[in-house]
Amino acid sequence: MTNLSRKYRPQTFGDVAGQERVTKTLCREVEQGKLGHAYLFSGPRGVGKTTAARIFAKAVNCLKPKAGEPCLKCEACERIANGQAIDIIEMDAASHTGVDNVREAIIEHVRFVPAALKYKVYVVDEAHMLSAQAWNALLKTIEEPPAYTIFIFATTEKHKVPATIVSRCQKFDFMRVSEENIVIRLAELAKTEGIKVDKAVLTNVADRSEGCLRDAEN
């Protein structure tokens, strides 16, 4: 069966459901060119943290951004969309928790200028899983990052991220997606897939998903 959450993963901030406060702020930062060097995206699972991080990575590198949104058509956008951008580095901290992983994937890597894009963007998913030693090793890099580097830490458990790291990040709290927004999103996907679904069914799915849009879609 097709994984709908992957097939229809949002490509722009405007496509991200239920996180308008976060996405509008990120759009504004891109549009005004006032970018931070480290971001902390926290909130429940399946509400768009990693998706927003990927869109942000695309937007800051887009050659022709429109009101803070990636154009999706320029060379940089296409390179990122096709998975050919070696300057966008994603790391799953759940399976790379140690200091050696961080040193190899980030600390040693960050010294080199971007190969093709304007910014090197490091997206660390499940960041709270990093060991204390890994965070300590990463701290200096976050404190004094190269100008071409942006870090995005995504986590479902912000309280487990060291305070020394949190204090150096711009913090964005993602909320559970409302039942109304989930129903609207599911109706759109059903229409695109050519499937007729009674609204009562969509409402039931939305209710059972408990605010997790990814679960609802799948």
Side-chain angles (χ1 to χ4, degrees):
M1 180 179 291
T2 301
N3 186 310
L4 294 181
S5 64
R6 292 182 181 177
K7 182 177 180 180
Y8 295 106
R9 184 185 292 274
Q11 298 300 311
T12 66
F13 290 123
D15 293 335
V16 178
Q19 307 297 341
E20 287 78 9
R21 181 180 56 81
V22 171
T23 54
K24 285 181 179 179
T25 302
L26 293 174
C27 265
R28 192 180 310 118
E29 289 196 9
V30 175
E31 185 175 21
Q32 297 177 353
K34 297 180 179 179
L35 305 175
H37 66 274
Y39 294 79
L40 181 63
F41 290 0
S42 62
R45 53 181 290 275
V47 297
K49 299 184 299 297
T50 305
T51 293
R54 291 171 176 170
I55 295 171
F56 189 64
K58 195 180 298 180
V60 298
N61 282 298
C62 180
L63 302 178
K64 299 178 181 179
K66 302 176 181 178
E69 292 274 24
C71 72
L72 306 181
K73 298 179 180 179
C74 70
E75 181 181 358
C77 283
E78 291 185 348
R79 185 185 294 270
I80 295 172
N82 294 331
Q84 299 173 336
I86 62 174
D87 297 317
I88 308 300
I89 301 92
E90 292 194 30
M91 174 179 166
D92 179 12
S95 55
H96 299 82
T97 63
V99 64
D100 290 338
N101 299 128
V102 167
R103 185 174 289 115
E104 180 180 351
I106 300 178
I107 298 173
E108 297 298 326
H109 189 273
V110 79
R111 297 184 293 112
F112 302 99
V113 298
L117 303 178
K118 183 178 181 181
Y119 291 100
K120 269 186 170 181
V121 182
Y122 294 84
V123 179
V124 182
D125 206 5
E126 297 298 336
H128 62 275
M129 296 292 287
L130 289 178
S131 67
Q133 293 82 359
W135 281 122
N136 288 336
L138 192 56
L139 182 58
K140 183 174 177 57
T141 302
I142 297 176
E143 287 179 328
E144 301 175 3
Y148 52 75
T149 303
I150 295 174
F151 295 98
I152 304 176
F153 302 105
T155 178
T156 54
E157 300 185 54
K158 183 171 67 173
H159 62 281
K160 291 185 178 181
V161 179
T164 52
I165 301 296
V166 175
S167 66
R168 289 163 174 78
C169 296
Q170 286 193 32
K171 295 170 282 293
F172 290 88
D173 295 324
F174 286 67
M175 311 301 291
R176 293 186 184 277
V177 182
S178 69
E179 183 176 302
E180 179 184 3
N181 279 326
I182 291 179
V183 170
I184 291 173
R185 174 67 172 170
L186 295 181
E188 291 174 349
L189 297 188
K191 183 178 180 180
T192 302
E193 288 286 306
I195 302 172
K196 292 184 179 180
V197 187
D198 191 271
K199 186 175 180 180
V201 175
L202 299 182
T203 300
N204 189 29
V205 172
D207 178 63
R208 289 171 179 266
S209 70
E210 298 182 340
C212 178
L213 181 59
R214 184 174 61 216
D215 283 357
E217 292 176 344
N218 290 336

